[in-house]
Amino acid sequence: MDDILTAGTVLAALDLIGTFVFALSGAVVAVRRGLDLFGVLVLSFAAASAGGILRDLLIGAVPPAAISQPRYVLTACVAGVFTFYRHALIERFRNPVQVSDAAGLALFAVSGAQKALGAGLEPAMAALLGMLTGIGGGILRDVLVAQVPAVLKADLYAVAALAGAGVVVTAHALDLPAAPSMLAGAALCFGLRVMAIRHGWQLPVPRLPDREDRS
C-alpha cells in the first residue's frame, strides 16, 4: 500500500511538473514568434497537453485528464503568463526551449509508460505509448508555428523518450518499485537528450546525391 501511494504521488508530481516545463517550452516559442498573450497561452496548453490527451484517448481514459482536471489547464496557463511577462528572465538560461523540452519529454515519457501499465497494456506497448506521450506535445507545438517537428530531425529525441519509458516497463516486469523506476527513467531520458544536444549525437541520416550527380 505504501509503495502504491508513493508511486501514485510520484506519478502525479511528474505529470504536473512535466505539464509546467512543456508549457514553458511552448510559451517561449510563442513569444519568440511574436504571438499575443492568447497565442502564448494556446501554444503553452498545446505543448503541455497534447501528449497526455493522446495517451488518455488510446488507453480509454476519457475525458482526458488534461481537460477534465483544472489543475493541468491552470498549470499551463501559469507557465504561459509567467513566460509572457518574464521572457527576458527565462532567456538568460542557456537554450531554454531545448532544456524545458528535454525535461518535459523525460517526465511525460515515464508517466505515460506508467499509466499505460496501469491500464493493462503489455510492456512493449506501454513503452511505445510512453514515447508517444513524451513527443506529442513537442510535435503539436512545432506544427502550430509551421516548423518541422523536432522529433523528425533532432538528435536522439524519440529514442531518448523510448529509453526512459523502457526503464519503467523493465522495472515493472522485474517487479521493482514503481516510484524509483520512474525517477531513474526520467533521469536517463533527460540525460540522453541533453548530451545529444551538447555533443550532436544523432541517428544515421540518408546520404543524398550531390546536385551535380542528380543533374
Side-chain angles (χ1 to χ4, degrees):
M1 182 68 180
D2 290 340
D3 178 57
I4 295 175
L5 179 62
T6 302
T9 302
V10 171
L11 183 60
L14 292 181
D15 249 0
L16 280 178
I17 297 171
T19 297
F20 184 81
V21 294
F22 249 144
L24 280 180
S25 75
V28 171
V29 170
V31 172
R32 288 178 177 178
R33 293 300 183 99
L35 302 187
D36 61 15
L37 179 58
F38 181 75
V40 172
L41 294 178
V42 168
L43 212 59
S44 297
F45 180 75
S49 305
I53 290 174
L54 176 62
R55 173 201 63 212
D56 289 350
L57 290 176
L58 289 175
I59 64 176
V62 291
I67 57 177
S68 65
Q69 300 180 21
R71 64 176 180 267
Y72 293 104
V73 178
L74 180 61
T75 300
C77 288
V78 167
V81 171
F82 177 77
T83 304
F84 185 83
Y85 289 106
R86 292 292 183 267
H87 180 251
L89 176 63
I90 295 175
E91 287 289 3
R92 291 179 186 175
F93 296 94
R94 184 179 180 183
N95 300 324
V97 175
Q98 290 182 322
V99 173
S100 58
D101 184 73
L105 179 73
L107 296 170
F108 273 12
V110 297
S111 67
Q114 187 63 40
K115 284 195 173 183
L117 289 171
L121 268 67
E122 294 295 324
M125 295 301 101
L128 289 175
L129 190 55
M131 180 191 70
L132 288 174
T133 305
I135 68 178
I139 290 176
L140 184 57
R141 175 198 64 212
D142 294 344
V143 168
L144 288 176
V145 294
Q147 67 183 35
V148 178
V151 66
L152 300 180
K153 62 177 183 177
D155 309 330
L156 298 188
Y157 194 88
V159 171
L162 188 59
V167 171
V168 174
V169 300
T170 301
H172 177 79
L174 297 175
D175 202 24
L176 298 175
S181 72
M182 284 189 284
L183 296 176
L188 175 62
C189 177
F190 181 78
L192 282 175
R193 183 74 187 106
V194 170
M195 293 298 287
I197 293 170
R198 179 170 298 181
H199 299 291
W201 296 347
Q202 62 181 17
L203 296 176
V205 295
R207 288 187 176 183
L208 297 177
D210 294 334
R211 186 170 296 179
E212 292 136 0
D213 295 337
R214 285 179 287 177
S215 61

